[in-house]
Amino acid sequence: MREDIVSFAENKDMPFRVLMCGISYCDYSYRIERQNSELNVIEYIISGTGTVNDNGRIFNPREGDIYFLKRGENHLYYSDADEPWTKIWLNFSGRLASKITECYNLEKEVYFHAPELKSYFYEFYDISRSCIGAKAVCEQSSVVFLRLAQRLCEYCKDKTSARGSVAYKVKNYIDDMTDYSQKLDDIAQKMSYSKNHIIREFKAEFGIAPYEYMLRRRFEIAGSLLKNTAYSVSEISEKLGFCDTGYFSGQFGIRYGASPSEYRKK
């Protein structure tokens, strides 16, 4: 059993308080139990499996899963003896933490399969180890938690349909993209789905291929940049991941009935 942990003295004046953050390389002996917990726990499973008991609800998180246990509840979780967890986690509290959890309807949600959200936990970890001071760690971690809560909220909305959950996860990922050089192959790898499965489920739910949806989103952003910034057409093309400005301009004209320069003047 080995753990790499960063801990902080509790500052009750902070609306979002990071108490500990770390990576646990568990063994058969790993077991945590808290009665009426004074802190929130959110954890991402890197590998292995184990058991979480949330007030009688039993979950068995494994690679790619997240569990979120709330302040004021009884926490019990332990690692499997044969396939022990490796996991990355954050312990936190504070009024802002509770308010974000409430606003995004996560109070009763515990378990999520969300392998594409792993990067948020490494952000927590990197911030905690950055030697920027406890106050800055809390402030920066609160922003990451807000973004994570937004994504988890979308997962809650998608639980009603097995087909819809895959399609909406992909849609939400595309909507949240800021790196427009990503291809569908990259998205499939990050989300642990096959590309063909994504295409099939997305088309069944939305009636268009995910690649076409990605193009639509890029051209919508292009229109906004043309109207609201001074970026040149070539700069916008590059920012949105198009290798050829001529191709970008031609496709923009097909979709909007005007060249990028003409559209800007309207």
Side-chain angles (χ1 to χ4, degrees), residues 251-263:
Q251 288 295 311
F252 189 94
I254 291 171
R255 292 164 185 271
Y256 287 89
S259 71
S261 297
E262 292 168 341
Y263 182 86

Side-chain angles (χ1 to χ4, degrees), residues 142-158:
S142 71
V143 175
V144 178
F145 180 65
L146 172 61
R147 290 164 41 220
L148 177 59
Q150 291 169 338
R151 297 294 301 278
L152 292 176
C153 180
E154 294 299 326
Y155 279 78
C156 298
K157 293 177 182 177
D158 298 339

Side-chain angles (χ1 to χ4, degrees), residues 39-236:
L39 52 86
N40 302 288
V41 177
I42 191 162
E43 311 204 348
Y44 178 90
I45 307 302
I46 300 170
S47 63
T49 187
T51 300
V52 172
N53 184 331
D54 177 65
N55 293 311
R57 293 190 293 172
I58 306 298
F59 304 92
N60 297 107
R62 57 177 56 247
E63 181 178 349
D65 291 344
I66 294 170
Y67 61 88
F68 183 14
L69 306 179
K70 316 305 187 304
R71 183 178 183 276
E73 298 180 350
N74 298 328
H75 299 175
L76 172 61
Y77 48 100
Y78 49 91
S79 186
D80 184 79
D82 297 322
E83 296 181 69
W85 280 324
T86 297
K87 57 197 181 85
I88 184 167
W89 46 269
L90 182 77
N91 291 358
F92 61 103
S93 64
R95 300 185 308 278
L96 180 58
S98 298
K99 185 58 68 175
I100 291 173
T101 301
E102 176 188 351
C103 287
Y104 287 97
N105 299 312
L106 298 175
E107 301 103 312
K108 302 299 181 184
E109 301 295 334
V110 174
Y111 171 81
F112 311 84
H113 179 67
E116 64 274 25
L117 302 187
K118 176 169 65 174
S119 62
Y120 290 90
F121 290 82
Y122 281 97
E123 283 191 67
F124 288 136
Y125 184 69
D126 290 342
I127 290 168
S128 295
R129 292 174 57 86
S130 61
C131 301
I132 56 177
K135 181 179 179 182
V137 166
C138 293
E139 290 172 345
Q140 292 186 23
S141 296
S142 71
V143 175
V144 178
F145 180 65
L146 172 61
R147 290 164 41 220
L148 177 59
Q150 291 169 338
R151 297 294 301 278
L152 292 176
C153 180
E154 294 299 326
Y155 279 78
C156 298
K157 293 177 182 177
D158 298 339
K159 282 183 178 179
T160 55
S161 164
R163 175 179 294 273
S165 68
V166 174
Y168 277 94
K169 284 179 185 179
V170 175
K171 179 180 179 296
N172 292 337
Y173 185 93
I174 294 170
D175 289 343
D176 201 41
M177 279 172 51
T178 55
D179 176 8
Y180 299 103
S181 67
Q182 292 184 84
K183 308 296 186 220
L184 189 57
D185 286 323
D186 301 320
I187 296 173
Q189 183 177 11
K190 289 181 179 179
M191 300 189 71
S192 300
Y193 296 119
S194 74
K195 184 170 77 170
N196 288 338
H197 182 60
I198 286 177
I199 292 171
R200 182 172 60 251
E201 298 296 317
F202 199 96
K203 288 184 73 173
E205 188 70 25
F206 299 113
I208 61 171
Y211 177 71
E212 173 58 26
Y213 182 73
M214 290 168 70
L215 278 178
R216 286 186 185 181
R217 291 288 295 161
R218 289 159 79 189
F219 282 112
E220 287 172 4
I221 295 167
S224 178
L225 290 173
L226 286 165
K227 289 289 189 182
N228 298 299
T229 75
Y231 287 132
S232 68
V233 173
S234 61
E235 287 174 323
I236 292 172

